[in-house]
Amino acid sequence: MQILITGATGFVGRALCQHLHGQGHQLLVVSRKPDDAQASIGVPVTAARSAVDFADRQVDGVVNLAGEPIFNRRWSDSQKERLMQSRIEATRDIGQLCSRMATPPAVMVSASAMGWYGDHGSHEVTEQTPPADTRKFDHRLCQRWEEEALALAGEPMRVACIRIGLVLDRDGGMLKPMLPMFRLGLGGRVGDGRQYMPWIHRHDLVRIIDFLLQREGADGIWNAGAPNPVTNAEFTRTVAGALNRPAFFVMPAAVLRPVLGEMSELLLGGARMKPARLEEAGFTFDYPHLEQAMAAIVEGRGDRAL
Ligand SMILES: NC(=O)c1ccc[n+]([C@@H]2O[C@H](COP(=O)([O-])OP(=O)(O)OC[C@H]3O[C@@H](n4cnc5c(N)ncnc54)[C@H](OP(=O)(O)O)[C@@H]3O)[C@@H](O)[C@H]2O)c1
């Protein structure tokens, strides 16, 4: 297949490109720095600044991952606008591409996040669960992003949106800054530690994207988190345990809120998100438990089966 990927230079995109290249697919990538894309991805790709630049190519499938990083900086009004617009524009760019093609792609897998659900305490959350609070920025961001993506669905393109949990691997995402702290014994829980943290090993997320690209009729919303989400306290214990370090510290909510502002809610709340549709569809996780995932990551064998 010829697969077009936005956000291909990112933490998830790089692993996805390596996986898809290994399967023999040809990769067309959209990047703000097309000249640097191949070097950062590490496998052969054809890169362009806009999806529209590929209008004269055959594109069989699309994976839409691009967006301003969520934890880059405090959520000022202008940063919220950047978070929103970067995702809307990347998705509309794909719409522009489709409108210029005689034969649009058959499928698009488009990123979204667990933030769509908001804080659900200890209740289990599936794709059927409504959002906790539609006024929260993280919900509105995911909702707009999904609306833009789902608006492109139609003959012949099916669209699957993936609500991604915290993606774990050693060279990016949340673990990259966290592991050195934990190695120094400076790890600790956040707030009361009871908030749920849906997580997913990057290896399994890449497999999920591949699964949804291939699976006939897979459309709509799919939760992309491991089947065993953990609380922040369990997460902290497991990461520290994988490194054989203690994790005595506590980051109190009262300290975090003034420092991070609204963004602190991402760390202080959460959803016990279950991948109900993936399990019904027969997808099997290589890393269903956090202990296994962390052991593999710490030992540097995260990509063993990719
Ligand atoms: N990692 C996680 O834990 C996690 C969890 C839930 C959801 N997600 C979502 O999944 C997607 C992929 O995650 P990731 O961790 O791979 O993200 P990432 O490493 O931050 O990469 C995202 C890519 O988007 C592009 N990008 C960044 N800022 C942009 C901007 N202002 N305008 C347009 N493009 C921009 C960049 O590509 P170029 O520089 O090449 O243009 C970048 O490589 C993201 O949209 C993220 O929100 C991630």
Side-chain angles (χ1 to χ4, degrees), residues 61-78:
V62 177
V63 181
N64 182 28
L65 300 171
E68 170 80 9
I70 297 288
F71 278 107
N72 230 9
R73 43 175 82 104
R74 219 178 135 96
W75 289 354
S76 61
D77 287 349
S78 61

Side-chain angles (χ1 to χ4, degrees), residues 121-153:
S122 59
H123 297 290
E124 225 170 73
V125 163
T126 71
E127 291 88 350
Q128 304 293 326
T129 307
D133 186 342
T134 54
R135 293 164 303 177
K136 298 280 184 193
F137 175 71
D138 47 344
H139 169 77
R140 289 189 287 113
L141 176 66
C142 295
Q143 177 66 20
R144 278 301 312 280
W145 198 8
E146 291 178 8
E147 279 169 9
E148 291 289 337
L150 293 169
L152 304 183

Side-chain angles (χ1 to χ4, degrees), residues 68-210:
E68 170 80 9
I70 297 288
F71 278 107
N72 230 9
R73 43 175 82 104
R74 219 178 135 96
W75 289 354
S76 61
D77 287 349
S78 61
Q79 181 62 6
K80 284 184 184 171
E81 190 61 14
R82 202 170 297 128
L83 289 163
M84 189 72 90
Q85 283 311 321
S86 59
R87 287 169 172 77
I88 292 175
E89 281 163 22
T91 312
R92 287 192 179 162
D93 188 34
I94 295 164
Q96 291 283 322
L97 168 71
C98 294
S99 67
R100 290 176 197 208
M101 299 180 99
T103 311
V107 52
M108 173 167 81
V109 178
S110 193
S112 177
M114 67 219 165
W116 188 91
Y117 295 107
D119 186 7
H120 279 268
S122 59
H123 297 290
E124 225 170 73
V125 163
T126 71
E127 291 88 350
Q128 304 293 326
T129 307
D133 186 342
T134 54
R135 293 164 303 177
K136 298 280 184 193
F137 175 71
D138 47 344
H139 169 77
R140 289 189 287 113
L141 176 66
C142 295
Q143 177 66 20
R144 278 301 312 280
W145 198 8
E146 291 178 8
E147 279 169 9
E148 291 289 337
L150 293 169
L152 304 183
E155 198 51 50
M157 190 156 89
R158 68 177 164 86
V159 175
C161 287
I162 44 174
R163 293 186 180 150
I164 304 172
L166 280 170
V167 185
L168 303 183
D169 215 337
R170 57 199 289 144
D171 62 336
M174 182 180 157
L175 275 187
K176 192 178 177 187
M178 203 187 242
L179 286 177
M181 298 292 285
F182 272 75
R183 278 202 174 95
L184 292 171
L186 298 174
R189 65 160 214 262
V190 176
D192 65 14
R194 282 185 293 193
Q195 67 278 31
Y196 266 84
M197 295 177 65
W199 62 273
I200 176 100
H201 194 305
R202 181 171 60 163
H203 162 94
D204 275 335
L205 178 58
V206 164
R207 292 178 57 245
I208 289 169
I209 295 171
D210 191 5

